[in-house]
Amino acid sequence: MSGVRLSEYDMSGVNELPARVNRGVFAALLVYFMLIGYAAVANQPLALLAAEIMFGLIAIGVGFVLYQQAPARESTSPLVIAAGCLIAGGVLQFGYLLTALGVLNDISSYAVFIGVGLYIYAMFVD
């Protein structure tokens, strides 16, 4: 491997995210909550739509990041399941936006909630 240590490729640790990824997630969450606040105060449906789109993008993005951080070949690890829940929640959010079926919005929220809970659990277990 031409001078590259194998430990540099060990992605089993949950806390090994690059700083730019952490800043990106923080900025996306900040924009999301600002849009929600603006939509509530100004009664702007377009801002609410933008926030719902951000919700789906954040869920899918964080899910992919968690999946990359998960231990290799451990499909039952809490981190892999959390990633799957977050990705599914984001996809369901876009399904809700396309169909306006309220049940998809509810399931999306539950999936994201479960994904975040499993991520927190994985942080304490690892």
Side-chain angles (χ1 to χ4, degrees):
M1 276 214 205
S2 69
V4 177
R5 292 187 321 243
L6 205 54
S7 64
E8 292 176 14
Y9 292 101
D10 182 20
M11 298 301 284
S12 63
V14 177
N15 293 322
E16 296 178 9
L17 292 175
R20 64 180 168 75
V21 172
N22 287 329
R23 285 191 302 269
V25 169
F26 178 77
L29 287 171
L30 185 64
V31 169
Y32 169 73
F33 284 114
M34 288 173 57
L35 284 168
I36 289 288
Y38 177 70
V41 171
N43 196 20
Q44 287 290 324
L46 190 57
L48 183 59
L49 176 63
E52 290 174 343
I53 291 170
M54 284 292 296
F55 180 83
L57 291 173
I58 291 168
I60 291 170
V62 171
F64 277 120
V65 168
L66 289 183
Y67 184 76
Q68 291 176 340
Q69 296 295 310
R73 298 185 192 104
E74 288 189 32
S75 62
T76 58
S77 93
L79 208 52
V80 171
I81 298 169
C85 286
L86 288 168
I87 293 168
V91 170
L92 287 168
Q93 179 68 20
F94 287 117
Y96 161 70
L97 292 173
L98 292 173
T99 64
L101 291 173
V103 69
L104 290 179
N105 190 32
D106 294 342
I107 295 171
S108 170
S109 296
Y110 293 138
V112 169
F113 183 75
I114 291 168
V116 170
L118 284 170
Y119 172 71
I120 292 169
Y121 172 76
M123 291 291 290
F124 287 109
V125 169
D126 262 351

